[in-house]
Amino acid sequence: MGFFRDISEDIKAVVEKDPAARNALEVLLCYPGIWALISHKPAHWLYKHNFKLIARMISQCSRFFTGIEIHPGAVIGRRCMIDHGMAVVIGETTEIGDDVTIYQAVTLGGTGKDTGKRHPTIGDNVVISTGAKVLGPFKVGSNSKIGAGSVVLEEIPENCTVVGIPGKIVKRGNQKAEDMNQIDLPDPVAVELECLRRRIVALENKLNGSEGHCDENL
């Protein structure tokens, strides 16, 4: 059955990605992200078939036991990994592709200004790092990485790295975001400060050169 295949793939993804995961049994018994995904599958089926109250009850029970809130209307692809997971919130019209990694305290939410499609669409093989907020009905392209604590409010193309508040693209390329590294990301503030420093140095050198030229004329 597709249900057991999907759960098996989710568990295998955790074993492959998480160095702390020793085997599939440990992941099944000890990882709240897996149980949140297990609960979401029947809840989503019920929601699609208009048993919305029961679906919401299942999702709220899952939230109570796992600390992860996934609205039953959300669409989640295969081999998703929710690592640690506490305080993760995934909104009703969120769509998540395959092989996506989500860390704790991530919000895939809305801005409160939209109707209908209110939440983001996440492409395949995206890494969303700790505490990141992706808010609004836009797409985050496949193979992208969102840095820890970032707030993303607009569409992100494929193969990009985004950091900061608001989120800014600091890297483009064909590098996939499968390396689980949340630390070695560019700092957009440091980059801007370095650009300003270089500009000041250039202006000082230019000014000093102009002063020297004036002294020679005297």
Side-chain angles (χ1 to χ4, degrees), residues 31-37 39 59-70 84-88:
Y31 278 60
I34 288 296
W35 284 102
L37 293 171
S39 300
S59 70
Q60 290 303 300
C61 286
S62 175
R63 175 180 179 268
F64 178 81
F65 286 106
T66 67
I68 300 166
E69 182 170 350
I70 306 175
H84 302 293
M86 182 60 69
V88 165

Side-chain angles (χ1 to χ4, degrees), residues 16-82:
E16 291 176 351
K17 292 180 179 180
D18 187 354
R22 294 178 294 180
N23 53 62
L25 180 61
E26 180 180 68
V27 171
L28 178 63
L29 295 177
C30 302
Y31 278 60
I34 288 296
W35 284 102
L37 293 171
I38 289 173
S39 300
H40 176 69
K41 296 181 190 304
H44 182 64
W45 187 91
L46 289 166
Y47 191 83
K48 289 197 302 181
H49 290 81
N50 212 32
F51 296 100
K52 294 185 177 180
L53 177 58
I54 300 175
R56 289 301 302 271
M57 291 172 65
I58 292 173
S59 70
Q60 290 303 300
C61 286
S62 175
R63 175 180 179 268
F64 178 81
F65 286 106
T66 67
I68 300 166
E69 182 170 350
I70 306 175
H71 193 285
V75 176
I76 300 178
R78 297 168 67 175
R79 297 176 297 277
C80 180
M81 173 180 169
I82 302 176

Side-chain angles (χ1 to χ4, degrees), residues 26-161:
E26 180 180 68
V27 171
L28 178 63
L29 295 177
C30 302
Y31 278 60
I34 288 296
W35 284 102
L37 293 171
I38 289 173
S39 300
H40 176 69
K41 296 181 190 304
H44 182 64
W45 187 91
L46 289 166
Y47 191 83
K48 289 197 302 181
H49 290 81
N50 212 32
F51 296 100
K52 294 185 177 180
L53 177 58
I54 300 175
R56 289 301 302 271
M57 291 172 65
I58 292 173
S59 70
Q60 290 303 300
C61 286
S62 175
R63 175 180 179 268
F64 178 81
F65 286 106
T66 67
I68 300 166
E69 182 170 350
I70 306 175
H71 193 285
V75 176
I76 300 178
R78 297 168 67 175
R79 297 176 297 277
C80 180
M81 173 180 169
I82 302 176
D83 196 20
H84 302 293
M86 182 60 69
V88 165
V89 177
I90 299 175
E92 179 183 13
T93 60
T94 302
E95 299 175 53
I96 299 175
D98 297 335
D99 303 297
V100 172
T101 301
I102 300 171
Y103 286 91
Q104 65 269 24
V106 163
T107 298
L108 303 180
T111 62
K113 300 178 181 180
D114 303 293
T115 58
K117 172 66 171 168
R118 309 184 306 281
H119 305 97
T121 297
I122 309 299
D124 297 337
N125 197 50
V126 172
V127 174
I128 309 176
S129 300
T130 304
K133 316 298 178 189
V134 186
L135 307 176
F138 54 83
K139 184 173 182 179
V140 176
S142 297
N143 305 319
S144 290
K145 176 182 285 187
I146 299 174
S150 299
V151 178
V152 181
L153 301 173
E154 59 186 23
E155 185 161 332
I156 304 301
E158 295 185 355
N159 306 306
C160 289
T161 298

